[in-house]
Amino acid sequence: MKRPTEHAITGWKAILLAPILIPVGLIAQLWSNGEKLDRTPEEVAKFLRDFLAGTSDEWGWDGFETTPIKDPELDWVRKRAAMAAPPNPDLAVLRDLLTETEQIIEQRAGAAPIGLVQLFRDSAAGASYLTLPLHPGRGTWGCVANTIPLDQIIEGYKGPDVNLDFDAQGRLIGIEVLAA
C-alpha cells in the first residue's frame, strides 16, 4: 500500500520550501518536549490491522509512526513498523509485528500488578508466575540462576507444584505455581 502522492511537493518547490519546513519540524519536535503517548497494546494492534487491511488513514498512520510510546516494548514495535511501512511497505514484517503485539495483549491480559510485584497467569499452561521486586523483568533471559522446588525445602509438602527462582546472588526473585 502506497501513500497518495497527489499532495507531494517535489522538485524546485521542495527545494524552496526546505529552509522553512526543516526548522519548523525541528521546533515542533523540541516543543513536544519528547513527550510520549501512553498507547495500549490494543491501540498498536489496531494501527497495524488497519494498515494491513488498507483502511488506515494516512495521517493516523503517520502519527503512529512518528510519536514515541511510553511503553518501551510497544515503542520498539512502533519503530520496526515505521521501518517496514511506506513508501515500500514490507507486509510480512508488519504481519509479524501484529502477531507480536497480539501476543503482548495475551500476556498482559493475565498480568495483575501488585505494587512492585507482578503476577502473570498462563491459563493454557496452567501456571502462574510471581515476579518479586528484585526480578529484572519478565522475559529477561538468564536472570534465574537456580530453581528449587518447594517440596525439596518443606518435608512432606503436599500441594501444587511450586518452584522458587533465585538469582546468581541467591536472592529469591520469582515464584512459579504449576497447575494453578
Side-chain angles (χ1 to χ4, degrees):
M1 170 188 205
K2 290 189 176 183
R3 292 186 183 180
T5 57
E6 60 194 49
H7 300 292
I9 299 172
T10 59
W12 65 270
K13 291 178 187 175
I15 293 169
L16 288 175
L17 289 175
I20 297 168
L21 295 178
I22 291 172
V24 167
L26 291 173
I27 290 169
Q29 183 70 23
L30 291 172
W31 193 1
S32 72
N33 260 347
E35 289 185 34
K36 298 179 178 185
L37 285 180
D38 195 14
R39 290 199 195 276
T40 64
E42 291 80 8
E43 289 173 307
V44 172
K46 181 172 178 5
F47 277 109
L48 293 166
R49 267 190 222 101
D50 288 351
F51 184 86
L52 289 166
T55 58
S56 67
D57 97 61
E58 177 183 348
W59 297 108
W61 178 261
D62 187 58
F64 169 68
E65 279 186 334
T66 58
T67 308
I69 301 172
K70 285 182 183 178
D71 182 314
E73 191 172 20
L74 295 176
D75 196 49
W76 179 232
V77 169
R78 177 196 64 83
K79 288 175 182 175
R80 291 180 290 154
M83 289 187 291
N88 300 312
D90 187 337
L91 299 180
V93 169
L94 293 171
R95 277 189 219 97
D96 289 345
L97 290 171
L98 176 58
T99 300
E100 182 179 326
T101 305
E102 289 169 342
Q103 289 172 347
I104 292 169
I105 292 168
E106 288 175 25
Q107 289 170 351
R108 292 183 183 181
I114 310 170
L116 295 175
V117 174
Q118 279 197 316
L119 176 65
F120 297 94
R121 293 184 189 95
D122 185 345
S123 54
S128 295
Y129 193 84
L130 186 70
T131 61
L132 300 176
L134 293 176
H135 199 290
R138 189 161 184 219
T140 305
W141 297 102
C143 65
V144 176
N146 191 17
T147 299
I148 300 175
L150 190 60
D151 62 1
Q152 287 183 4
I153 298 172
I154 301 173
E155 191 174 320
Y157 171 77
K158 294 190 188 323
D161 291 334
V162 176
N163 294 314
L164 306 175
D165 288 341
F166 296 89
D167 65 9
Q169 287 77 35
R171 299 175 298 197
L172 182 64
I173 59 171
I175 301 171
E176 178 184 42
V177 180
L178 301 173

Coordinates of all heavy atoms in Angstrom, one line a residue, residues 17-95:
L17 N 11.0 25.3 -0.3 CA 10.3 25.1 1.0 C 11.2 24.5 2.1 O 10.9 24.6 3.3 CB 9.0 24.4 0.8 CG 7.9 25.1 0.1 CD1 6.7 24.2 -0.1 CD2 7.5 26.4 0.9
A18 N 12.2 23.8 1.7 CA 13.0 23.0 2.7 C 13.6 24.0 3.8 O 13.5 23.6 5.0 CB 14.2 22.3 2.0
P19 N 14.1 25.2 3.4 CA 14.7 26.0 4.5 C 13.6 26.5 5.5 O 13.9 26.9 6.6 CB 15.2 27.2 3.8 CG 15.4 26.8 2.4 CD 14.4 25.7 2.1
I20 N 12.3 26.4 5.1 CA 11.2 26.8 6.0 C 10.8 25.5 6.8 O 10.6 25.6 8.0 CB 10.1 27.4 5.2 CG1 10.6 28.7 4.6 CG2 8.9 27.7 6.1 CD1 9.6 29.3 3.5
L21 N 10.5 24.5 6.1 CA 9.9 23.3 6.7 C 10.8 22.5 7.7 O 10.4 22.0 8.7 CB 9.4 22.3 5.6 CG 8.3 22.8 4.7 CD1 7.9 21.8 3.7 CD2 7.1 23.2 5.6
I22 N 12.1 22.5 7.4 CA 13.0 21.8 8.3 C 13.1 22.5 9.6 O 12.9 21.8 10.7 CB 14.4 21.6 7.6 CG1 14.3 20.7 6.4 CG2 15.5 21.2 8.6 CD1 15.6 20.5 5.6
P23 N 13.3 23.8 9.7 CA 13.3 24.4 11.1 C 11.9 24.3 11.8 O 11.9 24.1 13.0 CB 13.6 25.9 10.8 CG 14.3 25.9 9.5 CD 13.7 24.7 8.7
V24 N 10.8 24.4 11.0 CA 9.5 24.2 11.6 C 9.4 22.8 12.2 O 8.9 22.6 13.3 CB 8.4 24.5 10.6 CG1 7.0 24.0 11.1 CG2 8.3 25.9 10.2
G25 N 9.9 21.8 11.5 CA 9.8 20.4 12.0 C 10.7 20.3 13.3 O 10.3 19.6 14.2
L26 N 11.9 20.9 13.3 CA 12.7 20.8 14.4 C 12.1 21.5 15.7 O 12.2 21.0 16.8 CB 14.1 21.4 14.1 CG 15.0 20.6 13.1 CD1 16.2 21.4 12.8 CD2 15.3 19.3 13.7
I27 N 11.5 22.7 15.4 CA 10.8 23.4 16.5 C 9.7 22.6 17.1 O 9.5 22.5 18.3 CB 10.4 24.8 16.0 CG1 11.6 25.7 15.8 CG2 9.4 25.4 17.0 CD1 11.3 27.0 15.1
A28 N 8.9 22.0 16.2 CA 7.8 21.1 16.6 C 8.3 20.0 17.5 O 7.7 19.6 18.5 CB 7.0 20.6 15.4
Q29 N 9.4 19.4 17.1 CA 10.0 18.3 17.8 C 10.4 18.8 19.2 O 10.2 18.1 20.2 CB 11.2 17.7 17.1 CG 11.8 16.5 17.7 CD 10.9 15.3 17.7 OE1 10.0 15.1 16.9 NE2 11.1 14.4 18.6
L30 N 11.1 19.9 19.3 CA 11.5 20.5 20.6 C 10.3 20.9 21.4 O 10.4 20.7 22.7 CB 12.4 21.7 20.3 CG 13.8 21.4 19.7 CD1 14.5 22.7 19.4 CD2 14.6 20.5 20.7
W31 N 9.3 21.4 20.8 CA 8.1 21.9 21.5 C 7.4 20.7 22.2 O 6.9 20.8 23.3 CB 7.2 22.6 20.6 CG 6.1 23.4 21.3 CD1 5.9 23.5 22.6 CD2 5.1 24.1 20.7 NE1 4.8 24.3 22.9 CE2 4.3 24.7 21.7 CE3 4.8 24.4 19.3 CZ2 3.2 25.5 21.4 CZ3 3.7 25.2 19.1 CH2 2.9 25.7 20.1
S32 N 7.5 19.6 21.6 CA 6.8 18.4 22.1 C 7.5 17.9 23.4 O 6.9 17.1 24.1 CB 6.7 17.3 21.1 OG 8.0 16.7 21.0
N33 N 8.7 18.4 23.7 CA 9.4 18.1 24.9 C 9.7 16.6 25.0 O 9.8 16.0 26.0 CB 8.7 18.5 26.2 CG 9.2 19.7 26.8 OD1 10.3 20.2 26.4 ND2 8.5 20.3 27.7
G34 N 9.7 15.9 23.8 CA 10.0 14.5 23.8 C 8.9 13.7 24.5 O 9.1 12.6 24.9
E35 N 7.7 14.3 24.5 CA 6.6 13.6 25.2 C 6.2 12.3 24.4 O 6.3 12.2 23.2 CB 5.3 14.5 25.2 CG 5.5 15.6 26.2 CD 4.2 16.5 26.3 OE1 3.1 15.9 26.2 OE2 4.4 17.7 26.5
K36 N 5.8 11.3 25.2 CA 5.5 10.0 24.6 C 4.0 9.7 24.9 O 3.5 10.1 26.0 CB 6.4 8.9 25.2 CG 7.8 9.1 24.9 CD 8.7 8.0 25.5 CE 10.1 8.2 25.1 NZ 10.9 7.1 25.6
L37 N 3.4 9.1 24.0 CA 2.0 8.7 24.2 C 1.9 7.4 25.1 O 2.7 6.5 25.0 CB 1.3 8.5 22.9 CG 0.9 9.7 22.1 CD1 0.2 9.4 20.8 CD2 0.0 10.7 22.9
D38 N 0.8 7.3 25.8 CA 0.6 6.1 26.6 C -0.4 5.2 25.9 O -1.6 5.1 26.2 CB 0.0 6.6 28.0 CG 0.1 5.4 29.0 OD1 0.8 4.5 28.8 OD2 -0.6 5.6 30.0
R39 N 0.1 4.6 24.8 CA -0.7 3.7 24.0 C -0.8 2.4 24.6 O 0.1 1.9 25.3 CB -0.2 3.6 22.6 CG -0.3 4.8 21.8 CD -0.1 4.5 20.3 NE 0.2 5.6 19.4 CZ -0.8 6.4 19.0 NH1 -2.0 6.2 19.2 NH2 -0.4 7.4 18.2
T40 N -2.0 1.7 24.4 CA -2.1 0.3 24.8 C -1.7 -0.6 23.7 O -1.7 -0.2 22.6 CB -3.6 0.1 25.2 OG1 -4.4 0.2 24.0 CG2 -4.1 1.0 26.3
P41 N -1.5 -1.9 24.1 CA -1.2 -2.9 23.0 C -2.3 -3.0 22.0 O -2.1 -3.2 20.8 CB -1.0 -4.2 23.8 CG -0.6 -3.8 25.2 CD -1.3 -2.5 25.4
E42 N -3.6 -2.8 22.5 CA -4.7 -2.9 21.6 C -4.7 -1.8 20.6 O -5.1 -2.0 19.4 CB -6.0 -2.9 22.5 CG -6.3 -4.1 23.3 CD -5.5 -4.2 24.6 OE1 -4.8 -3.2 25.0 OE2 -5.5 -5.2 25.3
E43 N -4.3 -0.6 21.0 CA -4.3 0.5 20.1 C -3.2 0.3 19.0 O -3.4 0.6 17.8 CB -4.0 1.8 20.8 CG -5.1 2.3 21.7 CD -4.7 3.5 22.5 OE1 -3.7 3.4 23.3 OE2 -5.4 4.5 22.5
V44 N -2.1 -0.2 19.4 CA -1.0 -0.5 18.5 C -1.4 -1.6 17.5 O -1.2 -1.5 16.3 CB 0.3 -1.0 19.2 CG1 1.4 -1.5 18.3 CG2 0.9 0.2 20.1
A45 N -2.1 -2.6 18.0 CA -2.6 -3.7 17.1 C -3.6 -3.1 16.1 O -3.6 -3.5 15.0 CB -3.2 -4.8 18.0
K46 N -4.5 -2.2 16.6 CA -5.4 -1.6 15.7 C -4.8 -0.8 14.5 O -5.2 -0.9 13.4 CB -6.4 -0.7 16.4 CG -7.5 -0.1 15.5 CD -8.5 0.7 16.2 CE -9.6 1.3 15.4 NZ -9.6 1.2 14.0
F47 N -3.7 -0.1 14.8 CA -3.0 0.7 13.8 C -2.4 -0.3 12.8 O -2.5 -0.1 11.6 CB -1.8 1.5 14.4 CG -2.2 2.8 14.9 CD1 -2.2 3.1 16.3 CD2 -2.6 3.8 14.1 CE1 -2.6 4.3 16.8 CE2 -2.9 5.1 14.5 CZ -2.9 5.3 15.9
L48 N -1.8 -1.4 13.3 CA -1.3 -2.4 12.4 C -2.4 -3.1 11.5 O -2.2 -3.3 10.3 CB -0.5 -3.4 13.1 CG 0.8 -2.9 13.8 CD1 1.4 -3.9 14.8 CD2 1.9 -2.6 12.7
R49 N -3.5 -3.5 12.2 CA -4.6 -4.2 11.5 C -5.1 -3.3 10.4 O -5.4 -3.7 9.2 CB -5.7 -4.5 12.4 CG -5.6 -5.9 13.0 CD -6.8 -6.3 13.7 NE -6.4 -7.0 14.9 CZ -6.3 -6.5 16.1 NH1 -6.7 -5.3 16.4 NH2 -5.9 -7.2 17.1
D50 N -5.4 -2.0 10.7 CA -5.9 -1.1 9.8 C -5.0 -0.9 8.6 O -5.5 -0.8 7.4 CB -6.3 0.3 10.4 CG -7.4 0.2 11.4 OD1 -8.2 -0.8 11.4 OD2 -7.7 1.2 12.1
F51 N -3.7 -0.7 8.9 CA -2.8 -0.6 7.8 C -2.8 -1.8 6.8 O -2.8 -1.6 5.6 CB -1.4 -0.3 8.3 CG -0.4 0.0 7.2 CD1 -0.2 1.3 6.7 CD2 0.4 -1.0 6.6 CE1 0.6 1.6 5.7 CE2 1.2 -0.7 5.6 CZ 1.4 0.6 5.1
L52 N -2.7 -3.0 7.4 CA -2.7 -4.2 6.6 C -4.0 -4.4 5.8 O -3.9 -4.9 4.7 CB -2.4 -5.4 7.5 CG -1.0 -5.5 8.1 CD1 -0.9 -6.5 9.2 CD2 0.0 -5.9 7.0
A53 N -5.1 -3.9 6.4 CA -6.4 -4.0 5.7 C -6.6 -2.9 4.7 O -7.5 -3.0 3.9 CB -7.5 -4.0 6.7
G54 N -5.7 -1.9 4.7 CA -5.8 -0.8 3.8 C -6.9 0.2 4.2 O -7.3 1.0 3.4
T55 N -7.3 0.2 5.4 CA -8.3 1.1 5.9 C -7.8 2.2 6.8 O -8.5 3.0 7.4 CB -9.4 0.3 6.7 OG1 -8.8 -0.4 7.8 CG2 -10.1 -0.7 5.8
S56 N -6.4 2.2 7.0 CA -5.9 3.3 7.9 C -5.9 4.6 7.1 O -5.7 4.7 5.9 CB -4.5 3.0 8.3 OG -3.6 3.0 7.2
D57 N -6.1 5.7 7.9 CA -6.0 7.0 7.2 C -4.5 7.4 7.3 O -3.8 7.1 8.2 CB -7.0 8.0 7.8 CG -6.4 8.9 8.9 OD1 -5.5 9.7 8.5 OD2 -6.9 8.9 10.0
E58 N -4.1 8.1 6.2 CA -2.7 8.4 6.1 C -2.1 9.2 7.3 O -1.0 8.9 7.7 CB -2.5 9.3 4.8 CG -1.1 9.8 4.6 CD -1.0 10.6 3.3 OE1 -2.0 10.7 2.5 OE2 0.0 11.3 3.2
W59 N -2.9 10.1 7.8 CA -2.4 11.0 8.9 C -2.4 10.2 10.2 O -1.5 10.4 11.0 CB -3.3 12.2 9.0 CG -3.1 13.1 7.8 CD1 -4.1 13.2 6.8 CD2 -2.0 13.8 7.3 NE1 -3.6 14.0 5.8 CE2 -2.3 14.4 6.1 CE3 -0.7 14.0 7.8 CZ2 -1.4 15.1 5.4 CZ3 0.2 14.7 7.1 CH2 -0.2 15.3 5.9
G60 N -3.3 9.3 10.4 CA -3.3 8.5 11.6 C -2.1 7.6 11.6 O -1.4 7.5 12.7
W61 N -1.7 6.9 10.5 CA -0.6 6.1 10.4 C 0.7 6.9 10.6 O 1.6 6.5 11.4 CB -0.5 5.3 9.1 CG 0.8 4.5 9.1 CD1 1.9 4.8 8.4 CD2 1.0 3.2 9.7 NE1 2.9 3.8 8.6 CE2 2.3 2.8 9.4 CE3 0.2 2.4 10.5 CZ2 2.9 1.6 9.9 CZ3 0.8 1.2 11.0 CH2 2.1 0.9 10.7
D62 N 0.7 8.1 10.0 CA 1.9 9.0 10.2 C 2.1 9.4 11.6 O 3.2 9.4 12.1 CB 1.7 10.2 9.3 CG 3.0 11.1 9.3 OD1 4.0 10.6 8.9 OD2 2.9 12.3 9.7
G63 N 1.0 9.7 12.3 CA 1.1 10.0 13.8 C 1.6 8.8 14.6 O 2.4 8.9 15.5
F64 N 1.1 7.6 14.2 CA 1.6 6.4 14.9 C 3.1 6.2 14.7 O 3.8 5.9 15.6 CB 0.8 5.1 14.4 CG 1.4 3.8 14.8 CD1 1.3 3.4 16.1 CD2 2.0 3.0 13.9 CE1 1.9 2.2 16.6 CE2 2.6 1.8 14.3 CZ 2.5 1.4 15.6
E65 N 3.6 6.3 13.4 CA 5.0 6.1 13.1 C 5.9 7.1 13.8 O 7.0 6.8 14.2 CB 5.2 6.4 11.6 CG 4.9 5.3 10.7 CD 5.3 5.6 9.3 OE1 5.4 6.8 8.9 OE2 5.6 4.7 8.5
T66 N 5.4 8.3 14.0 CA 6.3 9.4 14.4 C 6.2 9.8 15.9 O 7.0 10.5 16.4 CB 6.1 10.7 13.6 OG1 4.7 11.1 13.7 CG2 6.4 10.5 12.1
T67 N 5.2 9.2 16.6 CA 5.0 9.6 18.0 C 5.5 8.5 18.9 O 4.9 7.4 18.9 CB 3.6 9.9 18.3 OG1 3.1 10.9 17.3 CG2 3.4 10.5 19.7
P68 N 6.5 8.7 19.7 CA 7.0 7.7 20.6 C 6.0 7.2 21.6 O 5.1 8.0 22.0 CB 8.2 8.4 21.3 CG 8.6 9.5 20.4 CD 7.3 9.9 19.8
I69 N 6.1 6.0 22.1 CA 5.2 5.4 23.0 C 5.9 5.2 24.3 O 7.1 4.7 24.4 CB 4.6 4.0 22.5 CG1 3.9 4.3 21.1 CG2 3.7 3.4 23.5 CD1 3.5 3.0 20.4
K70 N 5.2 5.5 25.5 CA 5.8 5.3 26.8 C 6.3 3.9 27.0 O 7.4 3.7 27.6 CB 4.9 5.7 27.9 CG 4.6 7.2 28.0 CD 3.7 7.5 29.1 CE 3.4 9.0 29.2 NZ 2.5 9.3 30.3
D71 N 5.5 2.9 26.7 CA 5.9 1.5 26.9 C 7.0 1.1 26.0 O 6.8 1.1 24.8 CB 4.6 0.7 26.7 CG 4.9 -0.8 27.0 OD1 5.9 -1.3 26.5 OD2 4.0 -1.4 27.6
P72 N 8.2 0.8 26.5 CA 9.3 0.5 25.6 C 9.1 -0.7 24.7 O 9.6 -0.7 23.5 CB 10.5 0.2 26.6 CG 10.0 0.3 28.0 CD 8.5 0.7 27.9
E73 N 8.4 -1.7 25.1 CA 8.1 -2.9 24.3 C 7.2 -2.5 23.1 O 7.5 -2.9 22.0 CB 7.4 -3.9 25.1 CG 7.3 -5.3 24.5 CD 6.8 -6.4 25.4 OE1 6.2 -6.1 26.4 OE2 7.1 -7.5 25.1
L74 N 6.2 -1.6 23.3 CA 5.3 -1.2 22.3 C 6.0 -0.1 21.4 O 5.8 -0.1 20.2 CB 4.0 -0.6 22.8 CG 3.1 -1.6 23.6 CD1 1.9 -0.8 24.2 CD2 2.7 -2.7 22.7
D75 N 6.9 0.7 22.0 CA 7.7 1.6 21.2 C 8.6 0.9 20.2 O 8.8 1.3 19.1 CB 8.4 2.6 22.0 CG 8.8 3.8 21.3 OD1 8.0 4.4 20.5 OD2 10.0 4.2 21.3
W76 N 9.2 -0.2 20.6 CA 10.0 -1.0 19.8 C 9.2 -1.6 18.6 O 9.7 -1.6 17.5 CB 10.7 -2.1 20.6 CG 11.6 -3.0 19.8 CD1 11.6 -4.4 19.8 CD2 12.7 -2.7 18.9 NE1 12.6 -4.9 19.0 CE2 13.3 -3.8 18.4 CE3 13.3 -1.4 18.5 CZ2 14.4 -3.9 17.6 CZ3 14.4 -1.5 17.7 CH2 14.9 -2.7 17.2
V77 N 8.0 -2.0 18.8 CA 7.1 -2.4 17.8 C 6.8 -1.3 16.8 O 6.9 -1.4 15.6 CB 5.8 -3.0 18.3 CG1 4.7 -3.2 17.2 CG2 6.0 -4.3 19.1
R78 N 6.6 -0.1 17.4 CA 6.3 1.1 16.5 C 7.5 1.4 15.6 O 7.3 1.7 14.4 CB 6.0 2.3 17.4 CG 5.8 3.6 16.6 CD 5.8 4.8 17.5 NE 7.1 5.0 18.2 CZ 8.2 5.7 17.6 NH1 8.1 6.1 16.3 NH2 9.3 5.8 18.2
K79 N 8.7 1.4 16.2 CA 9.9 1.7 15.4 C 10.1 0.8 14.3 O 10.4 1.2 13.2 CB 11.1 1.8 16.3 CG 11.2 2.9 17.3 CD 12.4 2.8 18.2 CE 12.4 4.0 19.2 NZ 13.4 3.9 20.2
R80 N 9.9 -0.5 14.6 CA 10.1 -1.5 13.5 C 9.0 -1.4 12.4 O 9.2 -1.6 11.3 CB 10.1 -2.9 14.1 CG 11.4 -3.1 14.9 CD 11.5 -4.5 15.5 NE 10.6 -4.6 16.5 CZ 10.0 -5.7 17.0 NH1 10.3 -6.9 16.4 NH2 9.2 -5.7 17.9
A81 N 7.7 -1.0 12.9 CA 6.6 -0.8 11.9 C 6.9 0.3 11.0 O 6.7 0.3 9.8 CB 5.3 -0.6 12.7
A82 N 7.5 1.4 11.6 CA 7.9 2.6 10.8 C 8.9 2.2 9.7 O 8.8 2.7 8.6 CB 8.4 3.7 11.7
M83 N 9.8 1.3 10.1 CA 10.9 0.9 9.1 C 10.3 0.1 8.0 O 10.8 0.0 6.9 CB 12.0 0.2 9.8 CG 12.9 1.1 10.6 SD 14.3 0.3 11.3 CE 13.6 -0.8 12.5
A84 N 9.2 -0.7 8.3 CA 8.6 -1.6 7.3 C 7.4 -1.0 6.6 O 6.8 -1.6 5.8 CB 8.1 -2.8 8.1
A85 N 7.1 0.3 6.8 CA 6.0 0.9 6.2 C 6.3 1.7 5.0 O 7.4 1.6 4.5 CB 5.4 1.9 7.3
P86 N 5.4 2.4 4.4 CA 5.6 3.1 3.1 C 6.9 4.0 3.2 O 7.3 4.3 4.3 CB 4.4 4.0 3.0 CG 3.3 3.3 3.7 CD 4.0 2.7 4.9
P87 N 7.5 4.2 2.1 CA 6.9 4.1 0.7 C 6.9 2.7 0.2 O 6.2 2.4 -0.8 CB 7.7 5.0 -0.1 CG 9.1 5.1 0.6 CD 8.8 4.9 2.0
N88 N 7.7 1.8 0.7 CA 7.8 0.4 0.2 C 7.5 -0.5 1.3 O 8.4 -1.1 2.0 CB 9.2 0.1 -0.4 CG 9.5 1.0 -1.5 OD1 8.7 1.2 -2.4 ND2 10.7 1.6 -1.5
P89 N 6.2 -0.7 1.7 CA 5.8 -1.5 2.8 C 6.2 -3.0 2.7 O 6.1 -3.6 1.7 CB 4.3 -1.3 2.9 CG 3.9 -0.9 1.6 CD 5.0 -0.2 0.9
D90 N 6.7 -3.5 3.8 CA 7.0 -4.9 3.9 C 5.9 -5.6 4.7 O 5.9 -5.6 6.0 CB 8.4 -5.1 4.6 CG 8.8 -6.6 4.6 OD1 8.0 -7.5 4.5 OD2 10.0 -6.8 4.8
L91 N 4.9 -6.0 4.0 CA 3.7 -6.6 4.7 C 3.9 -7.8 5.6 O 3.3 -7.9 6.6 CB 2.6 -6.9 3.6 CG 2.1 -5.7 2.8 CD1 1.1 -6.1 1.8 CD2 1.6 -4.6 3.7
A92 N 4.9 -8.6 5.2 CA 5.3 -9.8 6.0 C 5.8 -9.3 7.4 O 5.4 -9.9 8.4 CB 6.3 -10.6 5.3
V93 N 6.6 -8.3 7.4 CA 7.1 -7.8 8.7 C 6.0 -7.2 9.5 O 5.9 -7.4 10.7 CB 8.3 -6.7 8.4 CG1 8.6 -6.0 9.7 CG2 9.5 -7.4 7.9
L94 N 5.1 -6.4 8.9 CA 4.0 -5.8 9.6 C 3.1 -6.9 10.1 O 2.6 -6.7 11.2 CB 3.3 -4.8 8.6 CG 4.1 -3.6 8.3 CD1 3.4 -2.8 7.2 CD2 4.3 -2.7 9.5
R95 N 2.8 -8.0 9.4 CA 2.0 -9.1 9.9 C 2.7 -9.7 11.1 O 2.0 -10.0 12.1 CB 1.8 -10.1 8.8 CG 0.7 -9.8 7.9 CD 0.3 -11.0 7.0 NE 0.0 -10.5 5.7 CZ 0.9 -10.4 4.6 NH1 2.1 -10.9 4.7 NH2 0.5 -9.9 3.5

